[in-house]
Amino acid sequence: MSDKNRELLELYQALLDKVKEIYQQDNSLTVKSLLTTIKEGKEYLALKRHADETQLQLVEEFLKRDIASFIAVQAEDDLSYSPTAITLENTLWHWLGEVSDRSQVEWHELARQFNQQGVYHSGEIVTQGTLTCTHCGYKMNIEFTDVIPDCPECDHGEFTREPLMP
């Protein structure tokens, strides 16, 4: 291996070490955001000074691949990405919603409906219940407190709410 190749390899390894360091500080970063952060760092600039354009493009492709691989390995142990854990969490929230005091929820929503004259708009926060699109009549079942999306059928943003049943 030539001295130039050895030097490029060492600089690339410094980039990978920086990826690990940055990801440990903020594990919510995506491949794209990590790559952008790395390309703005001094390690990348040092590599850029020693590599020609073809080598630099190759380094960027390897870097994308290695960052994606690194994030995938890190996420394997993270239960928040597990489909089983997500299903379990949703089931628990559903059970909690079923056993909660529905009359309290209904009174709270009734008072809120009086203030809103029974009309809800996308972007507002609503608790569980059924919303009906005023434009096309599509019914959305909301199981957890969430932000109201636009109607999935017609993209309209105005809804009425069916009364909660205790």
Side-chain angles (χ1 to χ4, degrees), residues 58-101:
L58 192 58
V59 163
E60 286 181 17
E61 290 303 314
F62 287 160
L63 198 54
K64 286 178 195 173
R65 179 203 63 199
D66 290 346
I67 289 172
S69 176
F70 174 74
I71 289 176
V73 168
Q74 297 300 312
E76 282 178 0
D77 296 331
D78 188 355
L79 285 179
S80 65
Y81 293 104
S82 164
T84 304
I86 292 169
T87 302
L88 178 62
E89 180 183 4
N90 287 340
T91 302
L92 287 174
W93 278 112
H94 182 72
W95 288 343
L96 286 171
E98 290 295 316
V99 299
S100 69
D101 184 355

Side-chain angles (χ1 to χ4, degrees), residues 7-134:
E7 185 178 6
L8 288 173
L9 189 58
E10 288 172 5
L11 290 169
Y12 184 76
Q13 186 59 49
L15 281 175
L16 289 180
D17 292 341
K18 192 66 174 175
V19 165
K20 292 174 186 174
E21 179 186 326
I22 292 170
Y23 190 77
Q24 286 173 350
Q25 292 172 3
D26 183 3
N27 64 358
S28 67
L29 294 173
T30 62
V31 174
K32 186 177 181 179
S33 60
L34 257 173
L35 184 62
T36 301
T37 303
I38 289 299
K39 287 173 77 173
E40 293 170 354
K42 65 180 180 181
E43 292 83 1
Y44 185 80
L45 294 175
L47 182 74
K48 198 172 179 179
R49 283 192 300 270
H50 291 83
D52 61 34
E53 190 62 35
T54 305
Q55 291 170 325
L56 200 55
Q57 287 176 345
L58 192 58
V59 163
E60 286 181 17
E61 290 303 314
F62 287 160
L63 198 54
K64 286 178 195 173
R65 179 203 63 199
D66 290 346
I67 289 172
S69 176
F70 174 74
I71 289 176
V73 168
Q74 297 300 312
E76 282 178 0
D77 296 331
D78 188 355
L79 285 179
S80 65
Y81 293 104
S82 164
T84 304
I86 292 169
T87 302
L88 178 62
E89 180 183 4
N90 287 340
T91 302
L92 287 174
W93 278 112
H94 182 72
W95 288 343
L96 286 171
E98 290 295 316
V99 299
S100 69
D101 184 355
R102 295 230 184 221
S103 62
Q104 290 295 322
V105 173
E106 187 173 354
W107 281 110
H108 175 73
E109 284 303 314
L110 183 61
R112 195 163 165 206
Q113 281 184 1
F114 283 132
N115 289 338
Q116 293 185 305
Q117 288 91 33
V119 177
Y120 292 81
H121 296 92
S122 58
E124 294 177 344
I125 297 175
V126 68
T127 59
Q128 62 193 101
T130 302
L131 297 177
T132 305
C133 178
T134 58

